[in-house]
Amino acid sequence: MQHELTIGGILVSPFVAYALIAFALLVGLRVVFRRIRFGRYVANAPLAEAGIYICLLAIVVVLL
């Protein structure tokens, strides 16, 4: 379990750090999605990306 982060004297929840890590992973995956034309394989690409973000966030929380 990670403790709070201190940024400029302000305590930040570890969940915020986890969310930023998951978002960074999603941005990396978006590059791959553009190469394989992800939108052709799903009916609603933004909704699928949101679901992938939630899955990435859950993985990051469990592993860290």
Side-chain angles (χ1 to χ4, degrees), residues 24-35:
L25 291 171
L26 182 65
V27 168
L29 280 175
R30 282 184 178 176
V31 173
V32 175
F33 292 162
R34 268 189 243 130
R35 289 197 110 127

Side-chain angles (χ1 to χ4, degrees), residues 3-28:
H3 298 284
E4 292 85 13
L5 301 171
T6 304
I7 300 175
I10 299 172
L11 294 176
V12 179
S13 172
F15 186 77
V16 174
Y18 297 154
L20 291 175
I21 292 169
F23 184 72
L25 291 171
L26 182 65
V27 168

Side-chain angles (χ1 to χ4, degrees), residues 21-61:
I21 292 169
F23 184 72
L25 291 171
L26 182 65
V27 168
L29 280 175
R30 282 184 178 176
V31 173
V32 175
F33 292 162
R34 268 189 243 130
R35 289 197 110 127
I36 64 169
R37 297 182 185 177
F38 183 67
R40 293 185 339 184
Y41 301 108
V42 294
N44 190 349
L47 183 61
E49 284 187 15
I52 291 170
Y53 173 75
I54 297 297
C55 292
L56 287 172
L57 182 59
I59 290 169
V60 167
V61 168

